[in-house]
Amino acid sequence: MVHTFRGGAKVRHEKHRTEGKLIERMPCPAILTIHTVQHIGAPNLPLVEKGEEVRKGQKLAGADAFVSAPVHAPTSGVVADIREAVHPVLGKGTAIVLETDGHDTWAEGLPAESDWRSMDVSQLREAVKEAGIVGLGGATFPTHVKITPPDDVAIEHLLINGAECEPYLTSDDAIMRERSEDIVTGIEILRKVLGAKQVAVGIENNKPQAIEIMTKACARLENCRVAALPSRYPQGAERSLIKGLLDLWLPGGKLPMSLGVVVQNTTTCASISDAVLRGVPIIEKVVTVSGECVAEPKNVLAPIGATWRDLLDFCGGLKEELGRLVMGGPMMGISQNSFDIPMIKGTSGLLALSQKEIERKEEGPCIRCGNCVKSCPMGLEPLDWPVLARKRKWTEAEKKRVLECVECGSCEYVCPANRHLLQSVKVLKSRVRDLQKEKK
């Protein structure tokens, strides 16, 4: 049985350009720019020096903190430089520039086959940590932290997120179709670590082939079901998925663990399988390259550190004038101001959108229709955000639970007045967090 979460929007999915296409591996570029920070948590420090020779899979950057995830070399080569570079999410950050040698030589001991069933829980968590696994649905929170609940918390449900509700993106869909067995192995490993009794895989019903393949692959698991969820944005958000699969609502400010639930992305599961079974860290990622401007839209398996230019060149370049370049999906993605910015672990898509695709009508006055309130999956009142931001009423915004906004963009999508609601809430959340820091 599936349930309906409150709010959301029926968006145009625009997945047809890459839907059903096989994953294609792109050649490794001559230069890779690998950011030292590609996760939420403590920043990493470089573990290599300029001029040093490195091997594929070697750790390039790391931190001693628990909430962190190391970064590894996608191939062998020489460290040409360690410098500040443009970061696709953070603006700027330290990056290791790797001049690849074309030999693709693995570091000693990698990859290494292992029998995960003979490993204890601490060994499995350590393998996930050392491989730099993070949430690959876009959040990039270190996975080993997420699968280490407090001793007094029992995990009953393991939910696997295959919804992929963002328009244009089909990378998770492609991985479910082509790597279902690896995903299931990842589920088994997570289940052993967490002790979860029930497993549910949620996939939006606009992916019938992925649903069929994953249903067959999961048939060998006990107490595991694959559910076809309604195609409604943001079905892939944690709260929406928990509501859709379990009919439980996660209150704002609470973690899924408070309900005895852990949520993991399908691609993350496949990466866990790679890490534990073969000792392979995250060094490459499937990225959907799409949009009207792309000559040959594809699902591309690219090395971490390849630039947007590298990805677009592999897809035949641009066939018309570019309107906007976006990392991620059009609803929650981040606009990019250069073709030379490198991809990171959290990159699930690169969209080259035309002027027509980004065309937007002029912003008008709020008519108090309430559409934004109805669409908010968190039950907030987005119609107030622009006024509060303009009048700098940070305290009032905090009282109105602005920090609970997940920035899904549903409110702005359904607004008949084309108000810039998402921009306003980003400003409000930033100022409210500053206010809270000052109070502390």
Side-chain angles (χ1 to χ4, degrees), residues 388-406:
L388 294 175
R390 189 169 60 251
K391 294 185 176 181
R392 297 173 176 267
K393 294 190 174 183
W394 319 132
T395 302
E396 188 173 339
E398 184 178 11
K399 290 178 181 177
K400 285 182 172 288
R401 301 159 48 214
V402 68
L403 292 181
E404 293 181 27
C405 172
V406 295

Side-chain angles (χ1 to χ4, degrees), residues 199-357:
V199 177
V201 182
I203 307 172
E204 278 197 347
N205 59 17
N206 60 358
K207 305 173 185 65
Q209 191 177 6
I211 292 171
E212 181 182 355
I213 291 172
M214 286 301 298
T215 300
K216 290 179 181 178
C218 290
R220 60 184 169 92
L221 302 180
E222 291 184 3
N223 298 321
C224 177
R225 62 190 174 100
V226 176
L229 300 169
S231 180
R232 186 170 183 81
Y233 181 85
Q235 182 68 78
E238 273 194 338
R239 285 177 173 83
S240 303
L241 193 73
I242 292 170
K243 177 65 176 176
L245 291 174
L246 302 177
D247 199 23
L248 298 174
W249 179 246
L250 179 65
K254 297 288 186 180
L255 295 174
M257 282 185 187
S258 65
L259 298 176
V261 176
V262 166
V263 181
Q264 290 289 351
N265 172 266
T266 49
T267 301
T268 307
C269 291
S271 296
I272 289 171
S273 178
D274 288 337
V276 176
L277 268 67
R278 294 175 282 278
V280 177
I282 294 186
I283 54 177
E284 56 188 6
K285 180 76 163 50
V286 178
V287 179
T288 298
V289 183
S290 189
E292 281 192 359
C293 293
V294 181
E296 301 172 41
K298 299 177 180 180
N299 286 311
V300 181
L301 181 60
I304 302 297
T307 65
W308 307 144
R309 189 184 304 277
D310 295 327
L311 287 162
L312 290 169
D313 286 348
F314 182 68
C315 295
L318 302 179
K319 63 180 182 180
E320 60 180 274
E321 183 183 357
L322 180 68
R324 183 175 299 158
L325 192 64
V326 177
M327 185 190 86
M331 299 295 286
M332 296 184 70
I334 301 172
S335 294
Q336 306 292 295
N337 59 12
S338 169
F339 290 109
D340 298 315
I341 299 173
M343 63 173 278
I344 57 175
K345 295 177 186 179
T347 303
S348 53
L350 177 67
L351 307 183
L353 305 176
S354 65
Q355 292 289 346
K356 179 182 176 183
E357 287 176 293

